[in-house]
Amino acid sequence: MTVTTRTMPHGKLIDIHHPAPGTAHVPVVLLWHGVGPDERDVMRPLAEAVAREGVLVLVPDWRSDEPDGGRAQLLASLEFARARAAGLGGDPERFVLAGWSAGGSAAVGVALRPDIVGGRRPAAVVSIASRYDLPNRTTGTAPLTDLTDLTGVPETPAVPVTLVHGTADTLIPAERSRDLRDALAARDRPVLLEEPATDHAGVIMTEYDPAAARCRPSEDPGVLAAGRATARAIARAAGRA
């Protein structure tokens, strides 16, 4: 497994986590970090774990403190990933959009409102430790509100949504994901919720460092186990399990 870094046309950096050498036409995951500006490095432990499952993983920087909340940068990274997936050895038809915290609800927004990306739905969405009652960064609307507005509107095909949320998360309680699971299920939309025994940072294989005011890789066995469970959930959504 190797990692390369490129500069996207809009100037932001993106890490590309390649699976084992010689693999081709593998599933592709675009993985968005949370609200901290330009924190693609925070996602590296999880991205590496997903790549080891035989998935091409792209992790872009974006800034939530932009005037538009990061919307343009998120959507630009989505366009870049789709355009470059095949050339990087990925299969554009098996394209999964995933995100953690603010990145997670932004990914769900694309699944519910594909009109913002020209109607191109991802094959699946994975949202990790997020909330869905507030406007997300891609659509500017709350996913739970979007679901209410879309009641009775058929979606063909429905985008499968996997939710992952730590049961010990005190920053965003797991009830937030349960609310979305119930709302999706009530509308017959495919949804799965996994709840590892960890907190907001642990679900992506990290721990929060108060001195640095950011997450860093963890060596705690429980955290690593929880993060591997998240990686497997993403790999399954991408058709790797």
Side-chain angles (χ1 to χ4, degrees), residues 101-113 125 127 130-151 161 163 176 179-181 183-184 187 189:
S101 199
S105 60
V108 171
V110 173
L112 297 180
R113 295 276 308 281
V125 160
S127 180
S130 193
R131 62 184 298 173
Y132 311 97
D133 58 331
L134 298 176
N136 73 79
R137 302 281 171 164
T138 49
T139 68
T141 55
L144 287 171
T145 300
D146 285 338
L147 275 172
T148 299
D149 293 343
L150 291 170
T151 298
V161 175
L163 305 171
R176 300 296 189 182
D179 289 343
L180 183 64
R181 175 202 57 193
L184 287 166
R187 290 160 177 80
R189 293 173 183 252

Side-chain angles (χ1 to χ4, degrees), residues 47-130:
E48 291 177 345
V50 177
R52 282 192 289 269
E53 299 286 337
V55 179
L56 178 69
V57 185
L58 294 85
V59 186
D61 273 339
W62 65 280
R63 297 190 67 93
S64 62
D65 56 1
E66 289 289 320
D68 65 352
R71 181 180 189 271
Q73 292 175 355
L74 288 166
L75 295 182
S77 72
L78 178 55
E79 181 179 355
F80 176 90
R82 283 194 180 278
R84 303 298 178 91
L88 294 168
D91 182 355
E93 298 304 314
R94 293 187 288 169
F95 187 96
V96 173
L97 183 57
W100 170 64
S101 199
S105 60
V108 171
V110 173
L112 297 180
R113 295 276 308 281
D115 55 289
I116 69 169
V117 290
R120 296 187 67 189
R121 295 180 174 89
V125 160
V126 181
S127 180
I128 308 159
S130 193

Side-chain angles (χ1 to χ4, degrees), residues 80-81 148 160 168 171 207 211 220 222:
F80 176 90
T148 299
L171 183 63
E207 57 189 44
D220 181 273

Side-chain angles (χ1 to χ4, degrees), residues 3-6 8 12-17 31-34 36-47 58-62 214:
V3 182
T4 58
T5 302
R6 295 191 182 184
M8 294 178 283
K12 305 305 291 183
L13 297 178
I14 186 167
D15 285 344
I16 303 166
H17 299 259
L31 179 60
W32 286 336
H33 64 71
D38 294 339
E39 286 192 344
R40 73 185 193 283
D41 60 298
V42 169
M43 307 304 294
R44 176 162 288 199
L46 178 61
L58 294 85
V59 186
D61 273 339
W62 65 280
R214 62 188 288 118

